[in-house]
C-alpha cells in the first residue's frame, strides 16, 4: 500500500558527468559518458535508504565495447542500502563500498583528479571482477577524533555473478585536526577476501591488483591475482593534511594474494602521493563522518574556483616469476590496431598525473588532466601519454 | 511540450527489497537484490498512468547469471499502463498481470511468505518464458460484494520476444464479508493462452508449469508444457478467510497443456493451503478493489508487528509418460558443482514453508523463511532445505 | 556533497507511448512499448541539464529480439546534456540530435504520423548503427526570423561503440511567418560525417541510408553505405507552411556516400510530402526556437481534437551497381518463416502513409496509421501493407 507513507523522497539526479578522453598515443580518442546517476534517498520511520543506479554502467567505461556495433548497456548500481542508527553510529544493509581507503571512499564528484589512484579499488582490486561495491552489512561510527568502519560482505556487486565468496574489512581514522583548512588525517584499514572460484561456467573470480597507467582508455598491467580461490589480504595506510588552500595526501596499500596450497603468496604494494592547491584560495571541506575531503564552494560567484593538482602513482609485484600481462585496447584512427595482450617479464607501473580543475559553481566542474605513465616490461619500456577532459554536473 | 501539464507525478521509490538466501543443501548461499523498483504514477485529465521499472530484472533472481563474471542486467518492467474509468470499473491499456489468482495478484511487498505458491504464475506459468506480466487490455470493476476482471493480451512481457501468441483471462470474486479482520473471499478464474512457437530463432514459447521446490536458488522441476503451440487452459479456485489476527487461504489451479494434434492433453494441478497469525494482534487489511490482502500497520510503534505463517504447496503431472526434467543450479563453496539437468520418471513436487515476519514499521519489513521441499523423482527422492532472509523497504 | 544544492529537479515522466502494430502481410502482428522515457531536467546556477533514459531501448523496437526467449533490454538515452546561454543562443555539451531536418527534430510525442519519414535519421542515417543521437557540442540561436544551429560530434551514441568517427553539421531556418496558424518555414541543413571502420572487432561503422517501407516491423531495404571509412555528406532542404487547421510540409535529403579511394561516390536522395488537417479546427503550434511544429491543445475538453494526415515517402540509389539487400524480419502465426535477407537488383522504395490522430486531451493521444509500401526489387515488386495503432501518454 504505497501511498500512505510517501515520505521524503528526494530525487537527486546527478545529470551527467561526461568527458572527452584523448587516448594514449593519440590513437584512442573518443568521448563517453562516465557516470549517469539517478539518486533517490529518503527517510521513513527512523530508517534511511539510498538507491542509486548508474546508467553508464561498465560497458562504456573502458573504451572497448563488448558487443558489435550496438553493445548492450550495463546498469551498475552504486549505493543501494537501508540504514538505521545503532550505538554511536549507523548500520547499513545492502550494497556500498567497504572502507578500504581515503580516495577510494571519496565521491566521484569530489575526487581531485579524474582517475582514482592505483592505491584504491580501481587498482588494488582491479585485477579481477569489479570489487568496488559489495553486498553486505556495514557499520560506521564517528566518535570524537576517531572514525571507525567495519564491513562484512558477499564478494559480489549487484551486476556480477551471485557466488563469488566472502570478505570482511575494517578501517580506523584518527583526525586530531578536522576543521576546514586545518586538517590532519591518519588512517589504517585492513581487508580479507576469500573468493570462490567456480570455474564451471568459465569464469574466474580471483582477486588481484592491476594498474591502468594511462587512464581509462590506455593499457592496463595485471600485476597479480589470487589462485585457486586463496585469500587476498590488504593493508592500507592513509596520511593527509590540509593547510588553507593546500592539501597533501598519500596512501599505501599492500595486497597479498594467495597462490593456493604450497605456493608462496605474492605481495603487491601500491602507493601514491598527491598534492593540490586552490589558486583562488578555497579549502576543501573535510567530511569528518566519512574521513574524506569534499568539494569547496567557489569564493567568487562570477569566475569560480581554480585548483591545481599533481599525483605520482606506483605499483609493483616483485614476487611473480611468471611475469605480467598487459592489456592494450584497440586503437582507432586511419589504420586501427586490434586489442592485444602483451606478456611482460617485469611487473611494475608508475603514473604521473597533472590536473587543473575549474569549479564554475557548486554544480558544475570542468576537469583537465594530463597523464604520463611508464611500464617497464622487462624487455622494453612503454611510456603512454593521455590528455583527458571532463564536464561534470552534480547537485 | 512537456512542461505545460506537469501534473501529479508521484515518484514512489521502493528503495530495496533484498535478501540473503542460504541455498539448498547449504551449497548455494548468496545474497542478492530481489527487487529494485522505481515507481512513477500520476493522473492527468482523468487518465492515470503507472510506470514501474524493476532494475533487479531476471538475471540476478535465479542464482545463476547468464554471462561470465559480469553479466548484463535485465530490466523487467512491472506495471506500465494508462487507465481510465469505464462503467463501474476501470480499463487499463499496457502491461500488467492478468487476473489469475489471489496470491499471484498480491504485491510482492505484501505477500505473506517470500516466494509465491506453486499455484501462481511462478509455478503454474513457470514452465516457459515469464508469463507473469503481459501486454494487453484489462478491465476491472468492483461492484458491491463482487469484483470482476477480464484480460485480453499478447503473450509477452516488455523484455521478451515480440511474437509469442495471444491469451485471455477472467476472474470473479465474491466477498460477502470484506471488513478488516472479518473476511470471506471466494474466487474463480479462467485463462486460455494460445502460444506461437517460432522455432526459427531457436526459441520455444510453449507455456507450462514448473515447481521450484526449495526457493529461488534451489532445484526446479518442469512439470509439463504445451507442444507445437497448442493451447494452455487454466482454471483457478480461491478460498480465503480472516478472523481477527488469523488468516487462512487456499488456491487450486488446474492447468491443461495441449500436446498438439492427435496427442492427449496433460493436466497439471497445483494447490496450496496457507495460514498466518499475528502474535501482536493485527489483522491484514482486505483490499476489496483488488481481491487480495494487504499489509497491516503495526499496532505498536516501538517494537512493530510479528506474524507467523505456514504453507503447504503441491503440484503434479500424472499424464506425462516421458517424465520430467529437474534443473539443478550450480553449487558454490570449496568444490562447486556445475548446473545440471536430471531426468525424473515421476512428475511431482511438494514444499513446506514456515515463516516469521517482523513488520518494524509501515516501511520496513524483515522476513525469515525455512523451506523443506520434496521431489519424488521416481527412482530417488530429493529433499532440499533452505533458509532465506529478506530485508524490505517500501513506501 | 549532494544535498546542499538540490535545486529545481523536475521529474517529468512520460509514462508510456505504446502501440499495437499489425505487421506487413498480416504475419507479424504484435504489441510493444515503443518508448518508455524518464525525463529529468532542471536548472542550477545558470546551467540547465536534461537526462532522459529510454527504457524501451532498441531491442524491442524492430520486432526481432536478439537473444532467445528473454532478450536483454537495451537502454538508449535520448538527450543527456548540460547547457548554458552563449551570445544570442545556447551551447549544449553532451548527447542530443544534430540539426538534420524538421521532422527529425520534432519530438516523438508531436510527430504527425507514427513513423518518421525516409528523409530523417530513421532513413537517411538508417543504413548503419544508430546515428540519431550523437555525443558532442551543439549550439543553437534564435535570432529574429532566423534560427541557426551547429553541431560538432563524436559519431556515437551512449550505447554504441566508443570509436566511430567524427561529424559536424549546420542548419539555418528562415521563418518569415511564425504565428500559430500562419507559418512559412524554409530550412537548409548540411552534415559531414567521417566514420572510422574499426573492423578489428567485427563491426562495421559505415554510414548510409535505408528505407523501412512498411513501418517498424516490416521489411527494410539498405540503399547504400560508405565504404572503407569514407565520408557521408548530406544536404537537407525543408519547406513547411500552415494555414489555420491545415499544414503542409516537405523535406528533401541528398546523402552522398563515399566508396573509398578511386571509387565513385553514390548519391541517395530521399524526400517526402506530408499534409495534415484538424477536423476540429485546431492549429499545430509552431516552435520558433526549434524550427518544428508541436501538438495543439484540443479546443473541446469533452471529445478532444481529430487530425487527418497523409504522407508520400520516396528514396532511391541509382548509383549502386551491386544492387541492394532487403532485410525481411521473421513472420509469426501458424507456419512462421525465419528472418531472411533478399538481394534486389534495383534500389528504390516508396511508402504511402494515411493516419488519423485523436488528441483526447493534452496528455493522451491515440494514433492509427495505414501504411502501403512498394519496393521494386528489379525482378519483382514487394507491396507490403501494415495497420498500426499507438496509445501515447505524455506530459
Amino acid at each position: 500500500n504505497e501511498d500512505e507513507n510517501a515520505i521524503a523522497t528526494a530525487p537527486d539526479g546527478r545529470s551527467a558527468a561526461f568527458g572527452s578522453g584523448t587516448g594514449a598515443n593519440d590513437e584512442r580518442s573518443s568521448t563517453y559518458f562516465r557516470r549517469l546517476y539517478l539518486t533517490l534517498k529518503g527517510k521513513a520511520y527512523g530508517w534511511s535508504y539510498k538507491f542509486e543506479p548508474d546508467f553508464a554502467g561498465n560497458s562504456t567505461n573502458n573504451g572497448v565495447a563488448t558487443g558489435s556495433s550496438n553493445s548492450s548497456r550495463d546498469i551498475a548500481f552504486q549505493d543501494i542500502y537501508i540504514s538505521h542508527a545503532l550505538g554511536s553510529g549507523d548500520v547499513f544493509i545492502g550494497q556500498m563500498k567497504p572502507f578500504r581507503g581515503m580516495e577510494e571512499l571519496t565521491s566521484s564528484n569530489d575526487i581531485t583528479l579524474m582517475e582514482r589512484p592505483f592505491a584504491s579499488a580501481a587498482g588494488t582490486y582491479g585485477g579481477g571482477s569489479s570489487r568496488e561495491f559489495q553486498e553486505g552489512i556495514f557499520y560506521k561510527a564517528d566518535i570524537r577524533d576517531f572514525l571507525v568502519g567495519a564491513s562484512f560482505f558477499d564478494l559480489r556487486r549487484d551486476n556480477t555473478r551471485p557466488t563469488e565468496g566472502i570478505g570482511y574489512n575494517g578501517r580506523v581514522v584518527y583526525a586530531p585536526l578536522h576543521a576546514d583548512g586545518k586538517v590532519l588525517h591518519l588512517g589504517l584499514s585492513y581487508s580479507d577476501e576469500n573468493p570462490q572460484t567456480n570455474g564451471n561456467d568459465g569464469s574466474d573470480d580471483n582477486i588481484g591488483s592491476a594498474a591502468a597507467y594511462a587512464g581509462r582508455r590506455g593499457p592496463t598491467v595485471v600485476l597479480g591475482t589470487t589462485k585457486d580461490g586463496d585469500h587476498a589480504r590488504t593493508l592500507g595506510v592513509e596520511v593527509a593534511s590540509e593547510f588553507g588552500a593546500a592539501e597533501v595526501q598519500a596512501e599505501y596499500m599492500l595486497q597479498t594474494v594467495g597462490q593456493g596450497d604450497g605456493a608462496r603468496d605474492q605481495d603487491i604494494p601500491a602507493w601514491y602521493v598527491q598534492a593540490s592547491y586552490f589558486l583562488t584560495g578555497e579549502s576543501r571541506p573535510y567530511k569528518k563522518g566519512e574521513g574524506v575531503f569534499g568539494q569547496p564552494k567557489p569564493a567568487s560567484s562570477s569566475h569560480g574556483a581554480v585548483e591545481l593538482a599533481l599525483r605520482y602513482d606506483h605499483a609493483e609485484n616483485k614476487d611473480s616469476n611468471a611475469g605480467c600481462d598487459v592489456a592494450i585496447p584497440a586503437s582507432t584512427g586511419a589504420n586501427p590496431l586490434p586489442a592485444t595482450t602483451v606478456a611482460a617479464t617485469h611487473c611494475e607501473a608508475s603514473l604521473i598525473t597533472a590536473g587543473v580543475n575549474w569549479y564554475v559553481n557548486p554544480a558544475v566542474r570542468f576537469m583537465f588532466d594530463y597523464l604520463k605513465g611508464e611500464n617497464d616490461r622487462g624487455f622494453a619500456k612503454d611510456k603512454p601519454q593521455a590528455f583527458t577532459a571532463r564536464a561534470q554536473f552534480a547537485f
Side-chain angles (χ1 to χ4, degrees), chain A residues 17-269:
Chain A
F18 37 82
S20 114
T22 303
N25 304 330
D26 276 354
E27 284 180 348
R28 289 175 195 89
S29 300
S30 185
T31 59
Y32 54 98
F33 292 93
R34 177 69 176 279
R35 293 178 189 88
L36 292 168
Y37 293 171
L38 175 66
T39 308
L40 298 174
K41 54 185 183 180
K43 212 163 179 171
Y45 304 96
W47 288 74
S48 300
Y49 76 94
K50 193 170 175 190
F51 177 94
E52 190 173 52
D54 178 4
F55 293 102
N58 290 322
S59 59
T60 46
N61 281 352
N62 56 17
V64 182
T66 47
S68 59
S69 58
N70 276 294
S71 68
S72 187
R73 211 169 232 311
D74 205 17
I75 293 187
F77 272 78
Q78 309 284 321
D79 290 338
I80 330 173
Y81 60 70
I82 60 176
S83 71
H84 197 279
L86 180 69
S88 311
D90 292 282
V91 64
F92 302 80
I93 307 174
Q95 174 172 297
M96 55 187 285
K97 287 183 179 181
F99 308 106
R100 285 167 176 161
M102 186 180 207
E103 200 70 3
E104 167 66 18
L105 292 168
T106 302
S107 161
S108 60
N109 283 335
D110 297 338
I111 50 176
T112 306
L113 294 164
M114 277 178 60
E115 300 294 336
R116 287 204 175 77
F118 290 178
S120 74
T124 295
Y125 291 89
S129 299
S130 171
R131 308 286 177 188
E132 197 177 11
F133 288 85
Q134 313 272 230
E135 296 182 6
I137 297 181
F138 305 85
Y139 183 75
K140 195 175 65 172
D142 182 4
I143 306 164
R144 290 198 303 276
D145 287 348
F146 288 88
L147 174 74
V148 295
S151 319
F152 179 69
F153 48 89
D154 191 357
L155 267 176
R156 70 172 300 209
R157 192 176 181 164
D158 62 298
N159 67 336
T160 62
R161 300 193 327 119
T163 52
E164 305 192 14
I166 295 290
Y168 63 86
N169 150 278
R171 181 189 185 218
V172 178
V173 171
Y174 173 58
L177 303 176
H178 50 257
D180 290 357
K182 196 175 174 185
V183 176
L184 180 61
H185 164 114
L186 304 170
L188 196 67
S189 68
Y190 184 75
S191 302
D192 185 328
E193 286 93 10
N194 184 16
Q196 292 177 342
T197 52
N198 186 339
N200 294 315
D201 56 0
S203 68
D204 179 352
D205 298 320
N206 278 303
I207 289 178
S209 292
Y213 55 95
R216 192 154 288 256
R217 291 178 54 71
T220 299
V221 54
V222 178
L223 295 165
T225 65
T226 56
K227 290 282 178 305
D228 300 341
D230 205 348
H231 286 249
R233 296 183 176 90
T234 308
L235 177 76
V237 180
E238 315 160 20
V239 183
S241 188
E242 187 181 52
F243 305 95
E247 200 241 297
V248 182
Q249 71 184 61
E251 292 186 78
Y252 172 85
M253 287 192 186
L254 177 64
Q255 186 175 68
T256 304
V257 289
Q259 301 298 302
D261 291 346
R264 217 178 104 239
D265 291 352
Q266 295 183 6
D267 286 344
I268 311 172

Side-chain angles (χ1 to χ4, degrees), chain A residues 112-113 279 306-309 354-358 366-370:
Chain A
T112 306
L113 294 164
L279 296 179
V306 177
E307 181 185 33
L308 303 182
V356 180
N357 298 327
W358 178 29
F366 291 97
M367 305 177 76
F368 307 91
D369 284 5
Y370 169 77

Side-chain angles (χ1 to χ4, degrees), chain A residues 116-120 123-124 209-213 221 223 251-255 267-274 311-318 346-353 372-376 381:
Chain A
R116 287 204 175 77
F118 290 178
S120 74
T124 295
S209 292
Y213 55 95
V221 54
L223 295 165
E251 292 186 78
Y252 172 85
M253 287 192 186
L254 177 64
Q255 186 175 68
D267 286 344
I268 311 172
W271 58 273
Y272 75 91
V273 179
Q274 176 180 297
R311 187 172 71 207
Y312 179 78
D313 277 285
H314 187 272
E316 190 173 8
N317 179 356
K318 286 186 177 167
H346 198 66
C347 300
E348 181 184 359
S350 63
L351 173 62
I352 295 170
T353 310
K372 180 157 182 49
E374 181 173 322
N375 177 15
D376 182 357
K381 290 201 180 187

